[in-house]
């Protein structure tokens, strides 16, 4: 992959490319890109963990909440998952709904939109016993979207531009043919418009990622939603948080075998590249597309609202590796401060949906 990148950059009119172009190739090259390769990416033998790796309780909590939404909203019995990874969340959601509400399950359609051939194969293998699951390769292949549309750690994987403020000038950070950075005065009108719309003013020495690809995908997604609830689970910062000193050097990082790399211009095609998303960009662009923001919470707060504590088992099973004990441990990890959920947020938006009595979440008694 490194040779392909160097050859590509050397062939350009200018001896550099944007970070967005670099990430497009390193992550999505059809043969050697990270997400299109056959290497394990998620879990113990991969490069990073997601909430779904802990156990099935994350998906079961979502399934519990989805049942509530279908019962309290006039919403089509359709769940659309964007970028389903290994398919573990889909499996847990479907198993829970089938277990708890067979009538709803028989009415339900579950659609997975997945562009990665590697993950698509894993999903089809794991979900092969569910006849109500359909697979689509990309968002453009589907018409209108009606139902519950959700994603988990999707938007952080989109390629980004990188800019930096230095000596009073805003530069775009480019990648040269020898895979080093070069600062070029900002000339991209789309980036300038993005900064203006989001009211993002960089201070001296600040570096930040600009997610134009994410915004384009998100706007397309919103135009396709005609009636539904959109749930985005990811990690990111608000505009106010981007201003904090700790975030002044941006968030673009690489992950390889569970180690973090600040220098993302190495191990091209071998490691995951990720940047924290801009939550305000989703809210501002969603509002333009007639979506209403209903809730924005830390993931642990969201899971508690969904009723995840209902999954706790009062078990006398002495086997610490039993399903009950594994779920109990996973629940604690998902809700305790400082654990994995502290780094994630959940944005819930709606379009043409009325929620009875504003009852977005079930009332649970523990």
């Amino acid at each position: 992959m490194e040779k392909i990148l160097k050859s590509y950059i050397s062939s350009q009119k200018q001896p550099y490319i944007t970070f967005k172009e670099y990430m497009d190739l390193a992550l999505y090259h059809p043969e050697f890109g990270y997400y299109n390769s056959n290497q394990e990416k998620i879990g113990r033998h991969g490069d990073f963990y997601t909430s779904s790796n802990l156990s099935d309780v994350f998906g079961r909590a979502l399934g519990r909440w989805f049942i509530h939404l279908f019962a309290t909203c006039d919403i089509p019995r359709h769940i659309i998952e964007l970028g389903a990874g290994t398919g573990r969340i889909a499996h847990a959601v479907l198993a829970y709904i089938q277990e708890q509400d067979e009538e709803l399950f028989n009415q339900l359609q579950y659609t997975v939109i997945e562009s990665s051939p590697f993950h698509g194969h894993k999903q089809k293998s794991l979900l092969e016993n569910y006849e109500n699951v359909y697979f689509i390769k990309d968002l453009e292949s589907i018409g209108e979207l009606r139902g519950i549309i959700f994603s988990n750690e999707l938007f952080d994987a989109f390629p980004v531009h990188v800019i930096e403020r230095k000596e009073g000038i805003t530069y775009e950070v480019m990648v040269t043919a020898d895979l080093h950075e070069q600062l070029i005065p900002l000339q991209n009108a789309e980036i300038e418009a993005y900064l203006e719309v989001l009211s993002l003013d960089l201070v001296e020495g600040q570096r930040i990622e600009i997610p134009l690809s994410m915004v384009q995908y998100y706007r397309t997604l919103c135009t396709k939603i005609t009636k539904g609830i959109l749930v985005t689970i990811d990690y990111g910062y608000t505009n106010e948080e981007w201003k904090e000193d700790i975030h002044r050097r941006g968030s673009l990082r690489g992950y390889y075998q569970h180690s973090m790399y600040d220098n993302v211009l190495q191990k091209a095609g071998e490691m995951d590249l990720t940047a924290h998303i801009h939550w305000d960009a989703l809210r501002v662009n969603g509002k333009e597309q007639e979506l209403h923001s209903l809730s924005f919470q830390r993931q642990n707060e969201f899971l508690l609202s969904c009723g995840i504590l209902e999954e706790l088992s009062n078990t006398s099973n002495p086997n610490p590796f039993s399903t009950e004990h594994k779920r109990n441990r996973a629940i604690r990890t998902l809700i305790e401060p400082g654990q994995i959920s502290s780094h994630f947020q959940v944005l819930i938006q709606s379009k043409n949906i009325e929620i009875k009595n504003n009852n977005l979440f079930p009332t649970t008694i523990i």
Side-chain angles (χ1 to χ4, degrees):
M1 189 66 232
E2 186 173 309
K3 289 181 180 179
I4 293 173
L5 279 161
K6 289 181 175 180
S7 174
Y8 176 77
I9 299 171
S10 297
S11 69
Q12 303 303 300
K13 282 186 177 181
Q14 303 289 347
Y16 50 76
I17 59 174
T18 65
F19 254 99
K20 189 264 183 187
E21 291 174 287
Y22 172 83
M23 293 177 69
D24 267 330
L25 284 169
L27 295 177
Y28 300 104
H29 183 277
E31 187 174 359
F32 301 109
Y34 178 78
Y35 287 120
N36 288 324
S37 70
N38 289 328
Q39 68 191 74
E40 288 289 345
K41 301 164 184 67
I42 305 173
R44 182 184 304 174
H45 302 293
D47 300 303
F48 56 91
Y49 287 104
T50 69
S51 298
S52 63
N53 288 111
L54 295 173
S55 85
D56 61 352
V57 291
F58 185 80
R60 289 176 66 85
L62 287 176
R64 177 184 292 274
W65 181 48
F66 292 165
I67 289 175
H68 168 78
L69 289 177
F70 286 129
T72 56
C73 305
D74 179 21
I75 188 170
R77 270 46 175 172
H78 190 186
I79 298 172
I80 302 101
E81 184 175 0
L82 309 169
T86 61
R88 292 186 64 174
I89 292 180
H91 188 274
V93 167
L94 288 163
Y96 182 85
I97 295 177
Q98 186 176 32
E99 170 191 312
Q100 298 292 325
D101 192 334
E102 189 172 353
E103 181 179 355
L104 170 61
F105 180 81
N106 290 335
Q107 300 171 353
L108 187 66
Q109 177 179 334
Y110 199 110
T111 299
V112 172
I113 301 179
E114 178 60 67
S115 61
S116 166
F118 176 75
H119 282 143
H121 176 75
K122 281 186 169 290
Q123 294 157 13
K124 290 174 182 177
S125 176
L126 184 62
L127 303 171
E128 62 181 353
N129 292 328
Y130 291 105
E131 296 180 356
N132 56 346
V133 178
Y134 301 86
F135 299 91
I136 295 177
K137 289 185 177 180
D138 52 56
L139 189 62
E140 287 69 25
S141 300
I142 196 169
E144 65 175 7
L145 295 171
R146 295 165 56 84
I148 298 171
I149 305 100
F150 83 99
S151 65
N152 180 54
E153 294 188 62
L154 171 70
F155 291 119
D156 61 85
F158 276 74
V160 293
H161 294 264
V162 180
I163 62 173
E164 182 173 329
R165 186 76 171 172
K166 187 175 182 180
E167 298 178 352
I169 300 173
T170 301
Y171 293 90
E172 182 163 8
V173 185
M174 303 296 190
V175 180
T176 62
D178 58 355
L179 301 186
H180 286 86
E181 293 184 358
Q182 182 173 341
L183 298 181
I184 301 296
L186 180 61
Q187 299 173 348
N188 188 320
E190 287 187 79
I191 293 177
E192 292 173 343
Y194 179 91
L195 294 172
E196 183 176 352
V197 169
L198 271 292
S199 300
L200 278 173
D201 296 315
L202 274 64
V203 299
E204 182 64 27
Q206 184 176 3
R207 173 179 289 211
I208 195 170
E209 299 83 32
I210 305 299
L212 297 183
S213 294
M214 180 197 80
V215 170
Q216 182 181 13
Y217 179 94
Y218 176 78
R219 290 179 67 87
T220 299
L221 172 65
C222 292
T223 60
K224 288 180 176 288
I225 299 173
T226 56
K227 185 184 182 79
I229 291 180
L230 177 62
V231 185
T232 304
I233 306 169
D234 223 313
Y235 47 88
Y237 301 127
T238 63
N239 282 2
E240 287 303 310
E241 289 171 323
W242 280 115
K243 295 176 183 178
E244 297 173 4
D245 288 343
I246 194 172
H247 305 138
R248 289 283 169 85
R249 296 306 296 167
S251 66
L252 184 57
R253 302 289 186 270
Y255 288 90
Y256 177 74
Q257 296 182 356
H258 302 286
S259 294
M260 187 181 76
Y261 289 74
D262 289 329
N263 180 5
V264 299
L265 301 179
Q266 57 184 317
K267 297 186 181 297
E270 297 179 53
M271 70 177 180
D272 184 32
L273 303 177
T274 177
H276 282 57
I277 72 171
H278 293 210
W279 286 113
D280 286 283
L282 298 188
R283 283 188 283 215
V284 168
N285 284 278
K287 187 175 182 180
E288 288 184 0
Q289 301 298 321
E290 301 181 343
L291 267 74
H292 301 281
S293 293
L294 303 177
S295 173
F296 182 63
Q297 298 176 291
R298 293 287 178 188
Q299 183 175 277
N300 53 349
E301 297 169 346
F302 166 75
L303 291 172
L304 288 169
S305 298
C306 289
I308 194 172
L309 291 182
E310 299 282 1
E311 294 296 311
L312 280 171
S313 298
N314 184 14
T315 178
S316 59
N317 191 331
N319 179 10
F321 301 104
S322 67
T323 299
E324 295 83 2
H325 282 296
K326 286 181 178 179
R327 284 178 177 168
N328 287 349
R329 287 194 296 272
I331 290 169
R332 286 194 293 271
T333 300
L334 284 167
I335 66 174
E336 287 178 354
Q339 297 285 351
I340 186 171
S341 287
S342 299
H343 305 289
F344 290 82
Q345 300 86 31
V346 183
L347 175 63
I348 304 171
Q349 299 164 290
S350 68
K351 190 172 187 179
N352 297 324
I353 291 291
E354 182 178 346
I355 300 173
K356 295 178 183 177
N357 302 318
N358 294 319
N359 193 12
L360 182 61
F361 295 103
T363 301
T364 57
I365 301 175
I366 304 300

